[in-house]
Every structure is written in structure tokens, then in C-alpha cells.
């Protein structure tokens, strides 16, 4: 999702992995343009040349190279793609977790106060957990605050910036999809199943997203807003929760 002043089609705050994906996209486009230009050039040469190729029956060396070169191009595209896919799915060691639950037609976020993993000796009763229901904000309030229509919510999810996290995504009724384009994240929320995905914002920002799975009549009114703030202020926010 792109806003005014974006450097790209949609700015990313995913750190080095996001930059690697943009570089890989540029590499794929460069290869595709080179292949297209070469094919068009050879087509024009064949159509416009005065020589006839009716008696050109076979050439084993030519057949060898037009089989090997596409294979080498595919291997060159496959290798960095697999590396990026591996790093995108790597969970790492999260310092904080939260759960996003899709409902018709809003999102609920569940989390605990502990920024790091609770100690083994800590009982379940001593861990404070909270739930935030996030509905789409009324349009009049959005206009009065200068927000984004159909994207702002009444209760934003708050998370620490530049901290490795894990998001657990599920649903309580029908299929939803938790999508945050600027974080390069998109995962289905499936009833009875929890999907896990790593998350890390490289800078303080407000990330907007929407449900990307047709889930009913109000599917287009399920925005996602996560506000990433410095870690010390996030700790203060956790301590201020009642």
C-alpha cells in the first residue's frame, strides 16, 4: 500500500530482508528484459533478412546452447529466491509474541506483559495477559483527525520497533488473512489452526494493512494498524496497562 511521498510502490520497514527482496526483484526484471530484447531482435533478424532458412534442418551445437542457457538462467533465479524464502520463514529467537485473531469483522490482539520469555519458575497465574479489540474507526472521527479512510482503527496494536517478534494468527469463525504489505507479511487466519510468522520492524512507524481474504459482507472493513514505538516507551506502555 503506497502513500504520498513513498520511495517505492510501497515503502518497506523490514530491514535488510526487504532490501534483498527489492534487489532480487530488480535482478529478475533485468533478466526478463534481456531475454525479451534478445528474442525480439532474433525475430526481427529472421523476418527482415534476405537469406532463407528453409533448408536449415538441424544444428546440434545450437540446440545444445538453447537448452543449456535457459537452464542456467533458471538456476540463477532459483538460488537467491530460495535464500530469501529461507530467511523469510526463519522464526529466530523472538523477544515478544502476540496473537492476532480474525473475527467478523474486526481483529482481536492477545498478548502478555513480559517483553522477554517468562522464566521457567514463573507460574501461569502470575503472567498478565491482555486482549485488545480493534474495529474500523468511524469515518467522521477519521476525517477530523486527518487519518486514512477505511484504514484507521479505534484501538491500535502497539509493538516495539527493532525487536524480533513472533505473530500467531488464527480465526474464530471464517477464513481471514492477516496482511501487512510494508512488513512483507501475509498469512491466512484459519479457524482451529494457528499460523506462526516472524516479524520485525526496522524503524518506528505506523503500519497499515487489511484482511486479504473474502470473509463476508464487511470484508473490506477489517483494517489492521500496528504502531511500532521505541522499546523503552513500549515497556512503559506495558507497565501502564491495568
Amino acid at each position: 500500500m503506497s502513500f504520498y511521498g513513498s520511495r517505492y510502490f510501497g515503502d518497506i520497514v523490514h530491514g535488510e530482508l526487504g532490501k534483498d527482496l527489492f534487489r532480487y526483484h530488480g535482478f529478475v526484471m533485468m533478466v526478463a528484459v534481456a531475454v525479451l530484447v534478445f528474442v525480439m531482435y532474433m525475430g526481427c533478424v529472421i523476418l527482415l533478412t534476405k537469406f532463407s532458412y528453409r533448408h536449415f534442418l538441424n544444428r546440434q551445437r545450437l540446440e545444445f546452447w538453447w537448452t543449456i542457457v535457459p537452464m542456467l538462467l533458471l538456476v540463477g533465479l532459483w538460488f537467491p529466491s530460495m535464500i530469501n524464502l529461507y530467511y523469510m520463514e526463519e522464526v529466530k529467537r523472538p523477544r515478544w509474541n502476540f496473537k492476532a485473531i480474525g473475527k467478523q469483522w474486526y481483529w482481536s490482539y492477545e498478548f502478555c506483559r513480559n517483553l522477554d520469555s517468562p522464566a521457567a519458575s514463573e507460574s501461569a497465574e502470575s503472567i498478565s495477559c491482555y486482549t485488545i479489540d480493534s474495529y474500523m474507526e468511524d469515518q467522521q472521527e477519521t476525517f477530523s483527525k486527518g487519518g486514512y479512510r477505511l484504514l484507521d482503527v479505534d484501538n491500535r496494536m502497539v509493538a516495539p520497533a527493532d525487536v524480533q517478534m513472533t505473530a500467531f494468527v488464527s480465526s474464530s469463525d471464517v477464513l481471514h488473512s492477516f496482511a501487512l504489505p510494508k512488513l512483507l507479511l501475509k498469512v491466512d487466519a484459519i479457524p482451529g489452526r494457528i499460523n506462526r510468522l516472524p516479524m520485525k520492524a526496522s524503524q518506528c512507524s505506523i503500519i497499515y494493512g487489511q484482511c486479504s481474504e473474502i470473509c463476508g459482507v464487511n470484508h473490506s472493513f477489517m483494517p489492521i494498524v500496528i504502531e511500532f514505538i521505541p522499546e523503552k516507551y513500549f515497556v512503559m506502555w506495558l507497565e501502564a496497562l491495568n
Side-chain angles (χ1 to χ4, degrees):
M1 145 187 339
S2 184
F3 296 122
Y4 177 79
S6 295
R7 291 175 298 170
Y8 310 105
F9 180 73
D11 284 347
I12 52 175
V13 291
H14 201 283
E16 291 301 320
L17 179 58
K19 296 177 183 177
D20 290 341
L21 290 177
F22 267 99
R23 283 193 287 266
Y24 177 68
H25 176 267
F27 173 65
V28 172
M29 291 296 103
M30 181 182 66
V31 172
V33 171
V35 171
L36 180 63
V37 170
F38 177 76
V39 172
M40 292 181 64
Y41 170 76
M42 292 304 299
C44 292
V45 168
I46 294 174
L47 291 175
L48 301 178
T49 185
K50 61 181 180 180
F51 299 103
S52 175
Y53 293 89
R54 289 181 298 172
H55 304 293
F56 191 78
L57 299 181
N58 75 41
R59 182 69 63 87
Q60 292 185 358
R61 184 176 298 178
L62 178 62
E63 293 177 0
F64 172 80
W65 283 111
W66 75 31
T67 303
I68 292 298
V69 170
M71 291 175 58
L72 295 176
L73 289 177
L74 291 178
V75 170
L77 295 176
W78 167 82
F79 188 72
S81 175
M82 292 302 298
I83 294 177
N84 288 329
L85 285 175
Y86 173 80
Y87 283 115
M88 287 178 68
E89 297 296 330
E90 187 181 12
V91 178
K92 304 182 179 69
R93 296 187 61 181
R95 294 190 55 205
W96 192 66
N97 304 320
F98 74 93
K99 182 163 65 173
I101 303 175
K103 302 178 180 179
Q104 289 182 317
W105 286 272
Y106 63 98
W107 290 95
S108 289
Y109 302 99
E110 298 179 1
F111 57 93
C112 298
R113 286 184 57 175
N114 306 69
L115 183 59
D116 291 295
S117 300
S121 59
E122 200 170 355
S123 62
E125 291 78 8
S126 62
I127 301 176
S128 301
C129 295
Y130 299 89
T131 301
I132 294 177
D133 291 331
S134 181
Y135 293 85
M136 186 182 69
E137 192 174 50
D138 181 75
Q139 294 189 23
Q140 296 300 326
E141 296 183 13
T142 302
F143 291 150
S144 64
K145 295 189 298 185
Y148 295 106
R149 178 179 175 269
L150 302 182
L151 288 179
D152 273 305
V153 296
D154 54 357
N155 292 314
R156 291 176 177 174
M157 181 61 188
V158 181
D162 203 23
V163 170
Q164 187 64 46
M165 298 177 291
T166 298
F168 298 91
V169 181
S170 185
S171 172
S172 63
D173 37 48
V174 299
L175 284 175
H176 299 282
S177 184
F178 189 79
L180 293 169
K182 291 183 182 293
L183 278 179
L184 307 176
L185 297 178
K186 184 178 184 294
V187 63
D188 286 341
I190 304 173
R193 176 177 175 180
I194 297 178
N195 288 324
R196 179 180 65 175
L197 69 159
M199 175 184 296
K200 183 178 180 181
S202 59
Q203 63 190 44
C204 298
S205 54
I206 300 176
I207 306 299
Y208 293 87
Q210 288 179 303
C211 175
S212 299
E213 189 78 40
I214 297 178
C215 55
V217 63
N218 288 330
H219 156 68
S220 58
F221 305 131
M222 284 186 65
I224 304 167
V225 182
I226 301 182
E227 183 174 354
F228 290 93
I229 60 178
E231 184 176 346
K232 62 177 181 178
Y233 295 111
F234 177 74
V235 173
M236 296 170 57
W237 179 77
L238 287 179
E239 293 175 350
L241 291 174
N242 295 319

